[in-house]
Amino acid sequence: MSEVPVLEVGGINKAYNHVPVLQDVSLKVEAGQVRSLIGHNGAGKSTLLRILAGAESADSGLLKVAGTVRTFSSPRDAQNAGVAAVYQELRLLPELTVAENIYLGQETHNGIFLDRRSMAQSAQRILEAHHILVDPNQKVRYLSHAQRQLVEVIAALERNAKVILLDEPTTALQSEQIDDLITTVKNIASVGQVGVIFVSHKLEEVWAIADAITVLRDGSVVLDASKDSVDRQTVTRFIVGDAYDQQQQDLTSGTRLSGVHNIHSSPSNNSEEPLLTVHGVESAALRNISLDVKRGEVVGLYGLVGSGRSDFFKLLYGLETLLKGTIYVQGQLYRPRSPRDAMHHGIAYVTEERKYDGFIPMLSTIQNVALPSISRFQTAGWVHRTKVDRAVNDTMRPLNMRGDVNRAVKTLSGGNQQKMLFARTLLQEPQLVLLDEPTKGIDIGAKAEIHRLVRKFASEKGVGVLVISSEEEELLEVSDRIIVFRDGFSSDAFEASDLTETNLRNLAL
Ligand SMILES: Nc1ncnc2c1ncn2[C@@H]1O[C@H](COP(=O)(O)OP(=O)(O)OP(=O)(O)O)[C@@H](O)[C@H]1O
Ligand SMILES: [Mg+2]
């Protein structure tokens, strides 16, 4: 067998508006190998993948697929050369069947007719070979996100891809679905002798899937190693850079985290009447929810998908109808009607899906962050620009955002957009904050910082926070108390300090 890598990238450079985003990036992927590409938000991962997929062009550098030098001027060029990208926004056609999607553009014909049967049969064979439980005759519309993603990977494979690029494929998935995806991708790589680049912020996943690791920091490769030759701590150090040593120092000397734990053990104003009281609430998705949140308290909501956690947030934010039960906010009866009404009651909501979160892609980051709070910076119709800039910058500084805050927000990397939304919420000075998966897509370095900010925000401003997270470790770290949702019912509240990750998982079943 030849030893030519399926993909070889040499000296790639890319700048936007004269700001370098990729600098002399080189990497190789062998046939059958999974290479994890990791790095902080804005490190350049998605940009590199877009270049490899022909969706963007490099300023300079060399690209070889299976030993042949290539230049791509469109995604189609890349596909024809055997490079297939699977993005978060999946590109399957919902009204076509699974089989039709897999063979789109290369349909089998029987005379002048589409040979649906033979396409369905080959789809069935390949899906079965990879243990994917999806009916090839089902319309894609009826599939879960996880199933769609697997179908896209299979479609890439059936187009004879030599290289498959996956940009944060697990962010929208639950843990069992992540395991399935990892197994399938590994299997495809080794059986099909395909090379895979897998982008993720979760080292656990990287360790489960990768043969080799490339770490990008500020657009440069700072580590290229086989997985077996490094440990997670080393990799984290390469991702975070100099800040890592500071973080570790703080950890060992206890300055930051001990502060956090002090807050943990004594939520402020504990005796006060609750900020939020929910009693016997029912809606289309909720059967019986009762809970309360005090000022200065972070309450975590845990549960499986479909347990009602996100539905509960939508209800509080006026996006779903309350059928039964009572809700009090700051001692007053509250009947959610609309998001506007919720905002008037001091409720802010950061949803799980950034693309539905109503930021304006063409406006700058500063403008987007300030927009909902703009009245605070106005006198007689005049906006105090310097005050706005200062307030926004002060709010964002601890989040370690990368990217130009004066440019259109759509140019920020995925994780930095998430940080922007978080900053926007903080600036609104809400009373009650609803956070749905607040660190989804956030890099390792900023994650701890967001946890700390959530706790600090609650304790210093006396705000109540409700947070949903599927990561047990995160929920235990950030919450004072945790409530488990199951089939639309809520449990009693548990002190986070009394729980372990295993406890939590068992409670949700
Ligand atoms: N069209 C663009 N115009 C200007 N700058 C851009 C554009 N696209 C990306 N950038 C900048 O390039 C840098 C790298 O972004 P990229 O999306 O590649 O990061 P990433 O490593 O994928 O981050 P994340 O982990 O947050 O997804 C960022 O600073 C981003 O703001
Ligand atoms: Mg990205």
Side-chain angles (χ1 to χ4, degrees):
M1 235 181 67
S2 78
E3 294 295 317
V4 180
V6 281
L7 181 76
E8 203 173 347
V9 176
I12 297 257
N13 288 290
K14 174 77 183 170
Y16 289 110
N17 318 297
H18 308 289
V19 180
V21 169
L22 293 174
Q23 300 185 69
D24 195 22
V25 170
S26 301
L27 58 80
K28 281 184 197 165
V29 186
E30 312 285 344
Q33 188 184 46
V34 180
R35 178 173 289 276
S36 268
L37 179 63
I38 47 192
H40 61 74
N41 296 130
K45 306 178 295 293
S46 299
T47 306
L48 180 62
L49 258 52
R50 283 200 302 272
I51 291 172
L52 300 180
E56 187 105 49
S57 57
D59 299 336
S60 58
L62 187 75
L63 174 63
K64 279 191 198 172
V65 181
T68 311
V69 177
R70 301 277 185 180
T71 40
F72 301 148
S73 36
S74 72
R76 176 139 301 251
D77 284 355
Q79 242 180 46
N80 292 340
V83 181
V86 178
Y87 295 109
Q88 272 305 161
E89 274 75 45
L90 301 178
R91 285 180 294 191
L92 301 174
L93 300 174
E95 292 307 318
L96 296 188
T97 66
V98 169
E100 286 164 342
N101 266 287
I102 291 178
Y103 297 108
L104 198 67
Q106 42 171 14
E107 291 88 352
T108 323
H109 287 84
N110 187 352
I112 57 163
F113 298 102
L114 273 187
D115 191 350
R116 290 180 201 285
R117 253 201 36 202
S118 84
M119 287 197 301
Q121 280 165 355
S122 357
Q124 178 85 39
R125 263 197 307 277
I126 182 91
L127 289 165
E128 267 175 14
H130 292 285
H131 311 287
I132 298 172
L133 298 174
V134 172
D135 175 1
N137 296 308
Q138 179 82 280
K139 279 188 182 173
V140 158
R141 177 151 73 92
Y142 299 112
L143 303 187
S144 69
H145 181 84
Q147 290 173 321
R148 288 181 201 207
Q149 208 145 26
L150 290 171
V151 171
E152 273 227 17
V153 175
I154 293 297
L157 192 67
E158 286 296 87
R159 286 193 194 106
N160 295 318
K162 298 184 187 76
V163 182
I164 299 182
L165 312 172
L166 296 161
D167 195 353
E168 297 194 42
T170 60
T171 34
L173 304 187
Q174 293 301 302
S175 47
E176 317 89 74
Q177 299 170 335
I178 294 176
D179 295 345
D180 282 352
L181 182 86
I182 287 177
T183 314
T184 307
V185 170
K186 276 179 85 129
N187 193 5
I188 282 179
S190 64
V191 176
Q193 286 297 292
V194 170
V196 175
I197 298 188
F198 180 91
V199 176
S200 173
H201 287 295
K202 297 186 196 142
L203 287 189
E204 202 182 319
E205 288 171 16
V206 170
W207 249 257
I209 200 168
D211 304 301
I213 292 173
T214 295
V215 179
L216 277 182
R217 194 193 317 146
D218 294 323
S220 301
V221 174
V222 291
L223 180 74
D224 181 330
S226 75
K227 183 188 68 191
D228 299 334
S229 67
V230 282
D231 60 21
R232 296 188 200 197
Q233 202 187 1
T234 312
V235 170
T236 307
R237 173 172 289 143
F238 277 101
I239 296 170
V240 182
D242 299 338
Y244 181 82
D245 295 319
Q246 188 57 44
Q247 247 181 35
Q248 289 306 301
Q249 248 173 37
D250 288 345
L251 269 175
T252 41
S253 69
T255 43
R256 281 208 263 188
L257 278 187
S258 73
V260 168
H261 284 291
N262 286 341
I263 302 165
H264 247 300
S265 48
S266 60
S268 53
N269 309 324
N270 213 349
S271 56
E272 245 189 53
E273 68 168 322
L275 176 69
L276 173 75
T277 311
V278 172
H279 189 76
V281 155
E282 292 187 13
S283 74
L286 303 172
R287 300 283 156 264
N288 186 1
I289 304 292
S290 298
L291 54 85
D292 60 65
V293 180
K294 298 177 188 72
R295 285 184 182 285
E297 194 184 33
V298 181
V299 175
L301 302 185
Y302 187 74
L304 302 176
V305 171
S307 59
R309 298 168 309 167
S310 297
D311 302 283
F312 178 59
F313 277 11
K314 287 187 187 133
L315 178 84
L316 285 179
Y317 205 61
L319 293 166
E320 257 165 48
T321 313
L322 177 68
L323 296 177
K324 210 172 154 190
T326 49
I327 303 172
Y328 287 88
V329 175
Q330 305 184 63
Q332 297 207 327
L333 193 61
Y334 167 59
R335 198 172 173 86
R337 282 169 225 282
S338 66
R340 179 175 293 267
D341 184 40
M343 271 186 265
H344 279 310
H345 283 83
I347 301 175
Y349 177 29
V350 180
T351 70
E352 190 183 4
E353 295 290 337
R354 335 179 233 282
K355 59 184 172 200
Y356 303 128
D357 235 327
F359 61 83
I360 304 167
M362 294 309 293
L363 291 187
S364 72
T365 299
I366 297 238
Q367 287 167 321
N368 267 289
V369 170
L371 208 56
S373 321
I374 204 72
S375 56
R376 283 202 348 250
F377 302 98
Q378 275 175 331
T379 26
W382 277 93
V383 177
H384 297 275
R385 277 296 305 273
T386 41
K387 276 192 193 166
V388 171
D389 285 6
R390 195 178 320 130
V392 171
N393 279 315
D394 286 351
T395 315
M396 290 195 315
R397 194 167 303 116
L399 297 174
N400 207 355
M401 288 248 284
R402 316 250 178 160
D404 188 340
V405 293
N406 292 304
R407 281 194 180 277
V409 85
K410 65 170 186 185
T411 66
L412 288 184
S413 76
N416 282 309
Q417 287 181 8
Q418 181 81 8
K419 293 179 194 172
M420 180 276 296
L421 289 173
F422 191 67
R424 189 176 75 169
T425 307
L426 298 188
L427 197 66
Q428 282 174 53
E429 305 191 332
Q431 297 296 314
L432 175 68
V433 183
L434 314 176
L435 299 172
D436 200 342
E437 304 284 0
T439 63
K440 196 166 107 176
I442 299 275
D443 64 52
I444 300 182
K447 209 165 177 172
E449 203 56 45
I450 288 201
H451 294 164
R452 199 181 64 84
L453 274 172
V454 169
R455 301 216 45 83
K456 188 171 153 213
F457 193 56
S459 63
E460 284 181 3
K461 302 246 160 102
V463 170
V465 180
L466 272 168
V467 55
I468 292 175
S469 175
S470 302
E471 286 179 50
E472 296 82 13
E473 194 186 351
E474 166 162 290
L475 211 58
L476 290 169
E477 184 169 323
V478 81
S479 312
D480 295 302
R481 292 185 300 146
I482 295 179
I483 292 163
V484 180
F485 276 45
R486 204 169 63 189
D487 300 330
F489 292 88
S490 59
S491 73
D492 291 340
F494 301 92
E495 292 294 325
S497 48
D498 294 342
L499 290 172
T500 63
E501 292 182 32
T502 322
N503 285 161
L504 258 186
R505 279 194 208 105
N506 290 338
L507 284 165
L509 294 176

